[in-house]
């Protein structure tokens, strides 16, 4: 009697082409590989070349026999800058390759090397339109959210804000409380809403795709229950199924080595300058403030100079990451006052990119001045480092409000950029409010580590996700 073999699960993962998205979805891919699933990671050609150039991802994933990288065009010219200031181009460009994605899904290419057909797709929430292709082909699709649950909920509630007359804003008082986002009525101000709420018409492509992604049959969020439990409870009244499996970088470390030490491996799409680690080795314990505004945020030359003055005037040691493409009015980049270069010689160190996870856990680092990107926020929580938040776009505004007013693990410098405020915030972070902030973040850091340890909520949710993915192949 012939025994009928159970179909094998094969997951296709497709991130939005940006550093934070590719990074976190690669971590998810590796976690799924540990379970023995077939995994195909579909990257855009441009970002895959950067991944091959600057990381060991090809070598690292070669150890998983059931893993494959595949690439697809992003629909943009080769010389396109692909920066955050071209958000609409990025969305429109990649949307244009839907027919190519469909052809890939129905071809035999993904079944080469004896791989089974794709039984589930995990699609980045910013490219939710690709879930329509999965639906057309009767392939179960899960939305992956690289941002916080509080951001996703604030986006989901945009209709509430219109119905209650809270958007568009009636005047310019950005400190007015917002009441149309359940669970946030007591602390959410206009200025804390995602950045696209600041325009009169909510036609931002990121918002549109985020809203569309909430219609998925299931949603994966890079967060943990103890951090965003109250908002997750609100969301579960409206979302079909939510898997909280974060912080992903710590979850991956926990399953790799049963520890939370960052790996030497990297998913960075920028060339890492490791000389900063040698510099940190020579600095006193908890004496350095680390500054980085992420992989895509932009600032003006004036803002850079004000921040720099504040750092020098604080008299604190600092390590500052400034990407080559991060200054908008780059023609002024050579106009640096002499007092800043002199003030940096003894106490400062500047690089274009660094191994952030390793920097954050270095004994010499005592605080983090951040743009409040979600990956950076979670990395700081795991490292137990309090933050000064200077949010610039997207989810960063609401993340920074939660950091300062809800979790009380940092200070919010939103919408302010002058040297005196930077100096004050850095001194509060590193000295005046150091003990108070350290107590709060240590407690939340321990919760985060517990969540991704065996038996923790994120660990268990990952097990449920894997079993659910395995059961999906029966429906294909």
């Amino acid at each position: 009697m012939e025994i009928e073999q159970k179909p094998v699960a094969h997951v296709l993962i497709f991130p939005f082409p940006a550093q934070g998205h590719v990074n976190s979805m690669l971590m998810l891919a590796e976690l799924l590989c540990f379970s023995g699933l077939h995994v195909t990671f579909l990257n855009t050609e441009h970002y895959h070349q950067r991944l091959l150039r600057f990381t060991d991802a090809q070598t690292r994933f070669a150890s998983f026999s059931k893993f494959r990288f595949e690439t697809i065009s992003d629909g943009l010219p080769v010389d396109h800058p692909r920066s955050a200031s071209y958000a609409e181009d990025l969305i429109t460009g990649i949307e244009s390759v839907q027919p190519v994605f469909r052809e890939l899904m129905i071809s035999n290419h993904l079944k080469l090397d004896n791989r089974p057909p794709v039984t589930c797709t995990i699609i980045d929430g910013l490219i939710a339109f690709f879930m329509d292709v999965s639906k057309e082909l009767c392939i179960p699709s899960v939305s992956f959210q690289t941002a916080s649950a509080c951001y996703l909920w604030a986006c989901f509630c945009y209709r509430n804000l219109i119905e209650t007359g809270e958007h568009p804003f009636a005047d310019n008082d950005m400190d007015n409380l917002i009441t149309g986002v359940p669970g946030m009525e007591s602390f959410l101000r206009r200025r804390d809403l995602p950045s696209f709420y600041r325009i009169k018409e909510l036609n931002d492509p990121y918002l549109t795709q985020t809203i569309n992604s909430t219609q998925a049959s299931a949603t994966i969020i890079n967060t943990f229950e103890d951090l965003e439990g109250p908002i997750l409870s609100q969301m579960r009244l409206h979302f079909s199924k939510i898997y909280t499996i974060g912080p992903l970088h710590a979850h991956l470390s926990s399953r790799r080595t049963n520890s939370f030490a960052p790996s030497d491996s990297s998913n960075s799409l920028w060339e890492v300058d490791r000389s900063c680690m040698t510099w940190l080795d020579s600095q006193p314990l908890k004496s350095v403030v680390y500054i980085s505004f992420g992989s895509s945020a932009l600032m003006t030359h004036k803002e850079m100079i004000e921040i720099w003055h504040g750092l020098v005037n604080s008299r604190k040691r600092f390590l500052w990451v400034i990407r080559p493409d991060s200054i908008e009015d780059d023609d002024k980049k050579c106009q640096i006052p002499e007092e800043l270069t002199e003030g940096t010689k003894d106490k400062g160190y500047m690089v274009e990119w660094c191994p952030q996870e390793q920097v954050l856990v270095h004994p010499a680092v005592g605080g983090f001045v951040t743009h409040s990107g979600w990956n950076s926020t979670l990395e700081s929580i795991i490292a137990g480092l309090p933050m000064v938040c200077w949010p610039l776009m997207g989810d960063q505004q609401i993340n920074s409000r939660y950091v300062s007013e809800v979790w009380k693990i940092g200070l919010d410098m939103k919408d302010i950029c002058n040297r005196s405020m930077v100096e004050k915030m850095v001194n509060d972070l590193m000295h005046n409010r150091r003990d108070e902030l350290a107590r709060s973040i240590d407690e939340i850091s321990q919760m985060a580590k517990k969540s991704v340890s065996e038996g923790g909520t994120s660990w268990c949710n990952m097990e449920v996700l894997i079993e659910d993915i395995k059961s999906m192949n029966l429906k294909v």
Side-chain angles (χ1 to χ4, degrees):
M1 178 179 176
E2 186 176 344
I3 300 175
E4 183 180 352
Q5 290 200 353
K6 185 178 179 180
V8 179
H10 179 182
V11 184
L12 181 136
I13 299 176
F14 193 1
F16 179 75
Q19 165 77 63
H21 296 253
V22 173
N23 180 25
S24 54
M25 293 189 80
L26 271 174
M27 292 177 186
L28 172 64
E30 192 166 346
L31 285 167
L32 293 177
C33 284
F34 287 151
S35 70
L37 296 174
H38 285 268
V39 178
T40 294
F41 193 89
L42 184 61
N43 213 355
T44 62
E45 292 159 1
H46 173 81
Y47 275 97
H48 189 62
Q49 289 307 309
R50 293 181 69 90
L51 197 69
L52 295 181
R53 181 180 175 188
F54 297 123
T55 79
D56 64 348
Q58 187 85 358
T59 304
R60 190 166 76 249
F61 279 94
S63 63
F64 299 109
S65 62
K66 296 180 179 179
F67 177 89
R68 294 290 184 277
F69 279 115
E70 295 289 348
T71 60
I72 194 170
S73 169
D74 60 9
L76 297 173
V78 174
D79 60 351
H80 193 283
R82 293 171 171 82
S83 66
S85 56
Y86 292 89
E88 194 164 344
D89 286 0
L90 291 168
I91 295 284
T92 303
I94 201 164
E95 186 175 11
S96 72
V97 303
Q98 281 186 86
V100 182
F101 176 71
R102 185 183 186 282
E103 183 60 32
L104 178 67
M105 295 295 288
I106 63 177
S107 71
N108 288 321
H109 180 72
L110 294 178
K111 294 186 281 186
L112 295 176
D113 303 322
N114 297 317
R115 281 182 287 174
V118 171
T119 57
C120 169
T121 61
I122 299 178
I123 306 292
D124 193 309
L126 285 186
I127 47 176
F129 35 72
F130 286 104
M131 284 189 265
D132 294 338
V133 177
S134 294
K135 184 177 181 180
E136 177 196 343
L137 300 176
C138 298
I139 299 173
S141 190
V142 177
S143 172
F144 182 90
Q145 300 292 337
T146 59
S148 59
C150 56
Y151 165 79
L152 186 58
W153 182 235
C155 292
F156 184 83
C157 293
Y158 84 105
R159 289 188 184 91
N160 289 4
L161 302 189
I162 294 172
E163 290 170 2
T164 59
E166 294 183 285
H167 196 275
F169 303 150
D171 53 49
N172 295 321
D173 184 357
M174 295 297 285
D175 290 317
N176 270 1
L177 281 176
I178 293 292
T179 62
V181 184
M184 303 184 192
E185 299 92 341
S186 65
F187 60 85
L188 190 71
R189 306 164 300 178
R190 287 175 176 173
R191 71 173 71 252
D192 305 317
L193 286 167
S195 59
F196 37 70
Y197 276 100
R198 299 187 179 203
I199 59 176
K200 290 190 177 297
E201 297 295 329
L202 287 179
N203 57 1
D204 186 277
Y206 288 151
L207 173 64
T208 303
Q209 289 309 307
T210 300
I211 294 299
N212 290 344
S213 72
T214 63
Q215 305 305 311
S217 59
T219 304
I220 301 168
I221 307 180
N222 184 16
T223 191
F224 59 103
E225 297 291 330
D226 282 333
L227 186 69
E228 296 194 272
I231 292 306
L232 289 164
S233 295
Q234 296 279 353
M235 292 173 66
R236 287 187 170 112
L237 300 174
H238 303 272
F239 286 61
S240 298
K241 190 162 191 175
I242 294 175
Y243 304 91
T244 54
I245 60 171
L248 273 170
H249 74 290
H251 197 155
L252 185 55
S253 294
S254 180
R255 290 193 185 244
R256 273 178 181 164
T257 62
N258 199 30
S259 78
F260 302 106
S263 167
D264 288 337
S265 297
S266 167
N267 295 328
S268 173
L269 302 177
W270 298 86
E271 185 172 9
V272 170
D273 183 346
R274 298 192 62 86
S275 66
C276 60
M277 302 303 292
T278 303
W279 181 80
L280 285 173
D281 288 342
S282 66
Q283 306 306 313
L285 182 69
K286 297 290 184 185
S287 66
V288 175
V289 58
Y290 167 62
I291 307 99
S292 175
F293 302 126
S295 59
S296 58
L298 300 174
M299 59 181 163
T300 65
H301 179 83
K302 181 180 179 181
E303 288 170 335
M304 179 189 71
I305 294 298
E306 288 299 305
I307 291 168
W308 202 340
H309 271 291
L311 291 170
V312 169
N313 294 345
S314 75
R315 301 185 181 276
K316 297 294 185 290
R317 293 173 172 85
F318 64 90
L319 167 62
W320 192 359
V321 172
I322 301 184
R323 299 186 334 271
D325 65 341
S326 63
I327 311 301
E328 288 184 284
D329 39 1
D330 205 32
D331 56 312
K332 299 179 181 178
K333 66 180 181 180
C334 294
Q335 301 173 20
I336 306 298
E338 185 178 353
E339 63 264 30
L340 294 184
T341 55
E342 287 299 315
T344 303
K345 284 181 180 178
D346 293 332
K347 291 185 176 291
Y349 199 82
M350 302 170 83
V351 293
E352 293 183 352
W353 200 244
C354 77
Q356 179 164 290
E357 281 187 55
Q358 295 176 39
V359 166
L360 290 173
V361 299
H362 195 286
V365 177
F368 184 13
V369 178
T370 172
H371 63 310
S372 293
W374 190 235
N375 287 336
S376 290
T377 301
L378 291 176
E379 289 167 11
S380 199
I381 285 173
I382 287 292
L385 277 188
M387 293 162 263
V388 166
C389 303
W390 189 55
L392 297 166
M393 62 182 183
D395 64 326
Q396 297 162 17
Q397 274 79 7
I398 196 165
N399 294 343
S400 67
R401 187 60 169 174
Y402 265 77
V403 164
S404 65
E405 296 303 312
V406 180
W407 305 322
K408 301 189 184 301
I409 54 176
L411 311 170
D412 194 354
M413 199 172 68
K414 182 185 289 107
D415 297 331
I416 300 172
C417 188
N418 62 65
R419 62 193 69 183
S420 60
M421 181 57 74
V422 173
E423 178 185 355
K424 177 185 184 303
M425 287 283 187
V426 168
N427 279 319
D428 284 348
L429 178 73
M430 301 294 287
H431 181 69
N432 300 332
R433 297 184 60 183
R434 178 173 177 167
D435 292 343
E436 164 201 345
L437 295 172
R439 283 192 297 272
S440 296
I441 199 161
D442 182 63
E443 181 181 353
I444 289 180
S445 181
Q446 293 308 313
M447 290 178 185
K449 291 174 180 176
K450 183 179 178 181
S451 75
V452 295
S453 299
E454 188 167 0
T457 54
S458 292
W459 181 289
C460 293
N461 289 340
M462 187 72 204
E463 298 294 310
V464 172
L465 172 63
I466 290 166
E467 290 307 309
D468 286 351
I469 288 173
K470 288 178 180 178
S471 70
M472 288 176 187
N473 63 25
L474 301 176
K475 305 170 187 176
V476 177

